[in-house]
Amino acid sequence: MTSDERRAANWAPVRGGMGAVGGGGERGGEPASYWQATAGWAVPPDALPPATEVAVVGGGLLGAATAYWLARAGARPTLIEREALAWGATGRNGGFVVAGTAEGYPGAIARVGRETARAVWQLTVDNRGLLRRALEEEGIACDYRERGRLGLALGEEQRAALARGVALLRADGFRDELLDRRQAQELVGTPLGPEIVGGSFAAENATVHSARLVQGLAGAAARHGARLCAAAVTGLEPDGGGVAVRTGGGTIRAGAAVVAVNAWTGALLPALAGIVTPVRGQMLAYAPPPGGAGPVFTTAVSAAATPTGEYWQQTPDGAIVLGGCRAAAPGRDEGVREGVPTPEVQGALEGVFPRLFPELRGLAVARRWAGLMAFTPDYLPIADRAPGLPGVWVVGGFCGHGMPFGLILGRLLAEAATGGVAPGALAPLRLD
């Protein structure tokens, strides 16, 4: 075993059930998510070096993916995370790896134009191929399942909107399909409520165990030579031809840096404080349904029971992870920086399944949590040079939709950080 392999083995996270001691509690005052509780907290083990070729700030999906591709290219990066891997939005989301943008294809076309919308959508399709490859080559076990995503239509108006979206997608070469009520029912293991009239289906979309994915990518990066360090980054400054990364444990001099902290972008890069806005999202996990029957949900599922949307999946152990209902919060939880659940949103979440699936009874809430997303004015993420900081690149603002971009943007940012030039595929995500 090489020294890098020994280091990677030494920080393997504690595994356990939903109430496991290794990951079931809080960290930083915020309740652990289902993903964190069943993967355990993985705290980066390495000491901060005085210098590194590339510093990657943030231990979520984008940071881990960027460090992974940098290490695969021989750059020996240093990943710096202030808490634990997958501590932020990645470890607190719905675990969806789906194609597309945060507001859907028609909305993206209306906002940024068809050419840009299609280019960004294609990035997420390409991401899926990269993710499959990395999981296979690195042997990452993270419950990755390509069983599709079902989008439910609640009433004819929503079904008509889904039909317009499917028609646009198919015209541009994507493979979504429109479903009637009978076809939607075939994908759900409990009777549909009367307002569900159909839906849409994207067959190659997937679900994943979010925390295990991030931990697996970080472990693979370590095997390929990356350092994984725990420290709070407090600032970045130009330093000759590179950048000085200030942390609570000292300063690291880097040839380049990638900032991947999403909701905390404005704290490190004040020029982006008005562009990347933190938004709290909330979730809960139901214990496996009683009765011992087969799974109720085999696909990722989404619906617009409220104006801000809902989403859920059933995990291999039978738990049902449900998120959304942000519309129930004052101000829709925009600008909130506290990752704690609230009664208004949690109560709304508990009302989703009784409304949509009235015969799905006996569910018991096992865990509640919240996490900070980051939104941008055009509902597209940013991946570009950081203003006023030569050699620093920034990625964030995924509007609650970062999982579909992780591997592809990580690879493109690794190219940018080592080559000093933005790859052409990043053009739709420029700051301008």
Side-chain angles (χ1 to χ4, degrees), residues 176-408:
D176 289 38
E177 56 185 302
L178 191 67
L179 307 181
D180 59 25
R181 178 180 166 88
R182 177 188 60 79
Q183 292 168 315
Q185 179 66 83
E186 290 174 353
L187 296 171
V188 179
T190 188
L192 304 179
E195 66 183 309
I196 299 175
V197 299
S200 63
F201 187 64
E204 293 184 335
N205 287 349
T207 57
V208 70
H209 190 299
S210 304
R212 290 178 185 165
L213 170 59
V214 172
Q215 293 169 359
L217 284 171
R223 290 193 299 273
H224 290 291
R227 286 179 175 267
L228 310 177
C229 302
V233 174
T234 57
L236 300 99
E237 302 171 3
D239 181 53
V243 57
V245 182
R246 310 289 185 190
T247 82
T251 298
I252 303 174
R253 286 177 166 76
V258 177
V259 176
V261 295
N262 208 32
W264 292 271
T265 299
L268 281 183
L269 304 173
L272 299 185
I275 298 174
V276 179
T277 302
V279 177
R280 178 168 57 191
Q282 300 191 39
M283 301 195 68
L284 59 78
Y286 288 112
V296 179
F297 305 108
T298 57
T299 71
V301 191
S302 61
T306 71
T308 49
E310 286 64 52
Y311 48 92
W312 61 93
Q313 66 154 298
Q314 190 165 9
T315 68
D317 67 6
I320 301 175
V321 176
L322 166 68
C325 293
R326 190 165 52 82
R332 297 190 172 186
D333 270 351
E334 296 174 9
V336 174
R337 297 179 182 273
E338 298 173 349
V340 293
T342 61
E344 299 92 343
V345 174
Q346 291 293 314
L349 284 169
E350 289 189 53
V352 171
F353 286 169
R355 171 182 168 184
L356 301 184
F357 312 107
E359 295 189 28
L360 181 58
R361 302 185 180 96
L363 294 179
V365 176
R367 183 171 295 277
R368 306 179 191 274
W369 68 93
L372 300 189
M373 305 177 286
F375 278 58
T376 63
D378 66 0
Y379 282 79
L380 293 183
I382 292 165
D384 202 354
R385 299 177 187 273
L389 288 171
V392 178
W393 300 81
V394 58
V395 60
F398 289 97
C399 307
H401 203 70
M403 297 293 283
F405 291 94
L407 271 289
I408 187 72

